[in-house]
Short mmCIF file of all heavy atoms in Angstrom, two decimals:
data_model
loop_
_atom_site.label_atom_id
_atom_site.label_comp_id
_atom_site.label_asym_id
_atom_site.label_seq_id
_atom_site.Cartn_x
_atom_site.Cartn_y
_atom_site.Cartn_z
N PHE A 1 -7.98 -5.79 4.00
CA PHE A 1 -7.44 -6.06 5.43
C PHE A 1 -8.00 -5.25 6.42
O PHE A 1 -8.43 -4.05 6.09
CB PHE A 1 -5.90 -5.96 5.34
CG PHE A 1 -5.38 -5.00 4.42
CD1 PHE A 1 -5.23 -3.71 4.72
CD2 PHE A 1 -5.07 -5.37 3.08
CE1 PHE A 1 -4.85 -2.68 3.78
CE2 PHE A 1 -4.50 -4.47 2.12
CZ PHE A 1 -4.42 -3.18 2.54
N ARG A 2 -7.98 -5.59 7.71
CA ARG A 2 -8.56 -4.84 8.78
C ARG A 2 -7.83 -3.56 9.14
O ARG A 2 -8.31 -2.58 9.34
CB ARG A 2 -8.62 -5.72 10.02
CG ARG A 2 -9.14 -5.02 11.36
CD ARG A 2 -10.51 -4.48 11.12
NE ARG A 2 -10.98 -3.92 12.43
CZ ARG A 2 -10.88 -2.68 12.79
NH1 ARG A 2 -10.17 -1.87 11.93
NH2 ARG A 2 -11.42 -2.17 13.82
N ALA A 3 -6.41 -3.56 9.14
CA ALA A 3 -5.53 -2.43 9.32
C ALA A 3 -4.55 -2.41 8.28
O ALA A 3 -4.20 -3.24 7.78
CB ALA A 3 -4.94 -2.71 10.74
N ALA A 4 -4.13 -1.06 8.17
CA ALA A 4 -3.15 -0.87 6.99
C ALA A 4 -1.86 -1.70 7.26
O ALA A 4 -1.21 -1.93 6.17
CB ALA A 4 -2.80 0.60 6.98
N THR A 5 -1.39 -1.88 8.44
CA THR A 5 -0.21 -2.54 8.74
C THR A 5 -0.23 -4.01 8.32
O THR A 5 0.86 -4.68 8.20
CB THR A 5 0.16 -2.51 10.24
OG1 THR A 5 -0.94 -3.06 10.91
CG2 THR A 5 0.50 -1.11 10.57
N HIS A 6 -1.47 -4.60 8.15
CA HIS A 6 -1.59 -5.89 7.83
C HIS A 6 -1.08 -6.36 6.46
O HIS A 6 -0.82 -7.55 6.19
CB HIS A 6 -3.09 -6.44 7.97
CG HIS A 6 -3.62 -6.39 9.34
ND1 HIS A 6 -4.85 -6.79 9.59
CD2 HIS A 6 -2.95 -6.15 10.55
CE1 HIS A 6 -5.15 -6.63 10.98
NE2 HIS A 6 -3.97 -6.23 11.45
N SER A 7 -0.91 -5.44 5.65
CA SER A 7 -0.54 -5.65 4.19
C SER A 7 0.99 -5.60 3.97
O SER A 7 1.51 -5.93 2.94
CB SER A 7 -1.13 -4.83 3.26
OG SER A 7 -0.73 -3.48 3.40
N ALA A 8 1.78 -5.34 5.04
CA ALA A 8 3.21 -5.06 4.82
C ALA A 8 3.86 -6.37 4.19
O ALA A 8 4.68 -6.18 3.30
CB ALA A 8 3.85 -4.72 6.26
N PRO A 9 3.73 -7.52 4.77
CA PRO A 9 4.38 -8.74 4.10
C PRO A 9 3.98 -8.92 2.76
O PRO A 9 4.81 -9.17 1.78
CB PRO A 9 4.04 -9.93 5.02
CG PRO A 9 3.74 -9.35 6.35
CD PRO A 9 2.99 -8.00 6.00
N LEU A 10 2.71 -8.68 2.46
CA LEU A 10 2.30 -8.81 1.08
C LEU A 10 2.91 -7.78 0.13
O LEU A 10 3.28 -8.11 -1.07
CB LEU A 10 0.77 -8.75 0.98
CG LEU A 10 0.04 -8.76 -0.41
CD1 LEU A 10 0.33 -10.18 -1.11
CD2 LEU A 10 -1.28 -8.53 -0.34
N GLU A 11 2.93 -6.59 0.61
CA GLU A 11 3.66 -5.52 -0.39
C GLU A 11 5.02 -5.93 -0.62
O GLU A 11 5.58 -5.70 -1.74
CB GLU A 11 3.60 -4.20 0.46
CG GLU A 11 2.20 -3.63 0.62
CD GLU A 11 2.14 -2.29 1.44
OE1 GLU A 11 3.02 -1.44 1.15
OE2 GLU A 11 1.33 -2.15 2.40
N LEU A 12 5.71 -6.45 0.29
CA LEU A 12 7.15 -6.86 0.02
C LEU A 12 7.16 -8.09 -1.05
O LEU A 12 7.92 -8.06 -2.02
CB LEU A 12 7.89 -7.43 1.25
CG LEU A 12 8.08 -6.33 2.34
CD1 LEU A 12 8.63 -7.04 3.68
CD2 LEU A 12 9.10 -5.44 1.80
N GLU A 13 6.18 -8.92 -0.99
CA GLU A 13 6.20 -10.09 -1.89
C GLU A 13 5.82 -9.54 -3.20
O GLU A 13 6.29 -9.98 -4.27
CB GLU A 13 5.08 -11.15 -1.41
CG GLU A 13 4.96 -12.32 -2.27
CD GLU A 13 6.32 -13.15 -2.27
OE1 GLU A 13 7.15 -13.07 -1.41
OE2 GLU A 13 6.27 -14.05 -3.27
N LEU A 14 4.82 -8.70 -3.34
CA LEU A 14 4.43 -8.08 -4.58
C LEU A 14 5.56 -7.28 -5.25
O LEU A 14 5.74 -7.36 -6.47
CB LEU A 14 3.25 -7.21 -4.35
CG LEU A 14 1.88 -7.86 -4.00
CD1 LEU A 14 0.76 -6.82 -3.69
CD2 LEU A 14 1.34 -8.82 -5.02
N ALA A 15 6.33 -6.71 -4.41
CA ALA A 15 7.39 -5.81 -5.05
C ALA A 15 8.43 -6.81 -5.53
O ALA A 15 9.14 -6.54 -6.56
CB ALA A 15 8.01 -4.92 -3.90
N ARG A 16 8.71 -7.91 -4.77
CA ARG A 16 9.72 -8.88 -5.18
C ARG A 16 9.42 -9.52 -6.55
O ARG A 16 10.22 -9.80 -7.34
CB ARG A 16 9.95 -9.94 -4.10
CG ARG A 16 10.97 -10.93 -4.40
CD ARG A 16 11.03 -11.99 -3.18
NE ARG A 16 9.88 -12.85 -3.27
CZ ARG A 16 9.78 -13.96 -4.13
NH1 ARG A 16 10.79 -14.20 -4.96
NH2 ARG A 16 8.65 -14.77 -4.12
N ARG A 17 8.18 -9.75 -6.76
CA ARG A 17 7.70 -10.38 -7.99
C ARG A 17 7.27 -9.20 -9.03
O ARG A 17 6.79 -9.74 -10.18
CB ARG A 17 6.38 -11.12 -7.70
CG ARG A 17 6.75 -12.31 -6.76
CD ARG A 17 5.69 -13.42 -6.95
NE ARG A 17 5.53 -14.29 -5.88
CZ ARG A 17 4.75 -15.40 -5.89
NH1 ARG A 17 3.99 -15.64 -6.95
NH2 ARG A 17 4.53 -16.20 -4.96
N ASN A 18 7.50 -8.10 -8.84
CA ASN A 18 7.16 -7.04 -9.81
C ASN A 18 5.79 -7.08 -10.06
O ASN A 18 5.36 -6.84 -11.32
CB ASN A 18 8.16 -7.21 -10.99
CG ASN A 18 8.13 -5.96 -11.85
OD1 ASN A 18 7.92 -4.78 -11.30
ND2 ASN A 18 8.37 -6.02 -13.14
N ILE A 19 4.80 -7.24 -9.18
CA ILE A 19 3.36 -7.11 -9.40
C ILE A 19 2.93 -5.71 -8.97
O ILE A 19 3.07 -5.41 -7.80
CB ILE A 19 2.64 -8.17 -8.56
CG1 ILE A 19 3.14 -9.66 -9.00
CG2 ILE A 19 1.17 -8.07 -8.82
CD1 ILE A 19 2.53 -10.70 -8.12
N PRO A 20 2.55 -4.83 -9.90
CA PRO A 20 2.19 -3.52 -9.48
C PRO A 20 0.91 -3.57 -8.68
O PRO A 20 -0.02 -4.32 -8.82
CB PRO A 20 1.97 -2.73 -10.90
CG PRO A 20 1.71 -3.96 -11.85
CD PRO A 20 2.38 -5.08 -11.40
N PHE A 21 0.88 -2.49 -7.76
CA PHE A 21 -0.25 -2.37 -6.85
C PHE A 21 -0.52 -0.99 -6.46
O PHE A 21 0.40 -0.11 -6.45
CB PHE A 21 -0.20 -3.27 -5.74
CG PHE A 21 0.85 -2.89 -4.74
CD1 PHE A 21 0.68 -2.07 -3.68
CD2 PHE A 21 2.29 -3.45 -4.76
CE1 PHE A 21 1.69 -1.74 -2.78
CE2 PHE A 21 3.30 -3.17 -4.01
CZ PHE A 21 3.02 -2.29 -2.95
N VAL A 22 -1.71 -0.67 -6.13
CA VAL A 22 -2.06 0.64 -5.55
C VAL A 22 -2.71 0.41 -4.22
O VAL A 22 -3.62 -0.28 -4.04
CB VAL A 22 -2.92 1.44 -6.50
CG1 VAL A 22 -3.50 2.68 -5.73
CG2 VAL A 22 -2.30 1.84 -7.73
N LYS A 23 -2.23 1.10 -3.14
CA LYS A 23 -2.78 0.91 -1.76
C LYS A 23 -3.56 2.30 -1.50
O LYS A 23 -2.91 3.39 -1.65
CB LYS A 23 -1.71 0.71 -0.88
CG LYS A 23 -2.18 0.35 0.62
CD LYS A 23 -1.02 0.18 1.62
CE LYS A 23 -1.59 -0.08 2.94
NZ LYS A 23 -0.51 -0.43 3.89
N TYR A 24 -4.74 2.17 -1.17
CA TYR A 24 -5.48 3.39 -1.00
C TYR A 24 -5.02 4.13 0.24
O TYR A 24 -4.69 3.47 1.32
CB TYR A 24 -7.02 3.08 -0.63
CG TYR A 24 -7.73 2.73 -2.01
CD1 TYR A 24 -7.86 1.47 -2.42
CD2 TYR A 24 -8.29 3.80 -2.65
CE1 TYR A 24 -8.54 1.20 -3.64
CE2 TYR A 24 -9.05 3.50 -3.83
CZ TYR A 24 -8.96 2.25 -4.30
OH TYR A 24 -9.74 2.00 -5.55
N GLY A 25 -4.78 5.30 0.16
CA GLY A 25 -4.20 6.19 1.20
C GLY A 25 -3.25 7.24 0.59
O GLY A 25 -3.03 7.21 -0.55
N GLY A 26 -2.58 7.83 1.46
CA GLY A 26 -1.52 8.78 0.96
C GLY A 26 -1.82 10.23 1.37
O GLY A 26 -2.65 10.53 1.98
N LEU A 27 -1.01 11.19 0.91
CA LEU A 27 -1.05 12.64 1.24
C LEU A 27 -2.19 13.21 0.62
O LEU A 27 -2.40 13.10 -0.60
CB LEU A 27 0.31 13.34 0.74
CG LEU A 27 0.38 14.74 1.26
CD1 LEU A 27 0.49 14.89 2.73
CD2 LEU A 27 1.58 15.42 0.56
N LYS A 28 -3.11 13.69 1.27
CA LYS A 28 -4.31 14.39 0.84
C LYS A 28 -3.84 15.83 0.32
O LYS A 28 -2.97 16.40 0.67
CB LYS A 28 -5.33 14.60 1.88
CG LYS A 28 -5.65 13.29 2.55
CD LYS A 28 -6.41 12.37 1.57
CE LYS A 28 -6.87 10.98 2.25
NZ LYS A 28 -7.46 10.06 1.30
N PHE A 29 -4.67 16.28 -0.60
CA PHE A 29 -4.49 17.63 -1.33
C PHE A 29 -4.33 18.65 -0.25
O PHE A 29 -3.30 19.55 -0.33
CB PHE A 29 -5.62 17.93 -2.39
CG PHE A 29 -5.22 19.06 -3.23
CD1 PHE A 29 -4.62 18.87 -4.33
CD2 PHE A 29 -5.79 20.32 -2.94
CE1 PHE A 29 -4.26 19.92 -5.17
CE2 PHE A 29 -5.70 21.40 -3.73
CZ PHE A 29 -4.79 21.23 -4.86
N LEU A 30 -5.22 18.84 0.56
CA LEU A 30 -5.31 19.89 1.56
C LEU A 30 -4.17 19.67 2.70
O LEU A 30 -4.06 20.66 3.47
CB LEU A 30 -6.67 20.06 2.10
CG LEU A 30 -7.75 20.51 1.30
CD1 LEU A 30 -9.04 20.92 2.08
CD2 LEU A 30 -7.31 21.67 0.42
N GLU A 31 -3.48 18.61 2.73
CA GLU A 31 -2.48 18.49 3.68
C GLU A 31 -1.09 18.87 3.20
O GLU A 31 -0.09 18.98 3.85
CB GLU A 31 -2.44 17.01 4.09
CG GLU A 31 -3.64 16.49 4.93
CD GLU A 31 -3.68 14.99 5.18
OE1 GLU A 31 -2.65 14.39 4.64
OE2 GLU A 31 -4.62 14.48 5.66
N ALA A 32 -1.03 19.12 1.85
CA ALA A 32 0.16 19.55 1.32
C ALA A 32 0.46 20.99 1.79
O ALA A 32 -0.38 21.93 1.64
CB ALA A 32 0.21 19.51 -0.17
N SER A 33 1.73 21.24 2.25
CA SER A 33 1.99 22.52 2.90
C SER A 33 1.85 23.71 2.00
O SER A 33 1.37 24.78 2.45
CB SER A 33 3.52 22.48 3.40
OG SER A 33 4.29 22.04 2.40
#
């Protein structure tokens, strides 16, 4: 998808159906306090 927000409806549908997924992104190692 073009922008991270575009996957929001799909993430809900995957969670509803118990389809596991990994979305690239998250807290980086050097950003942890």
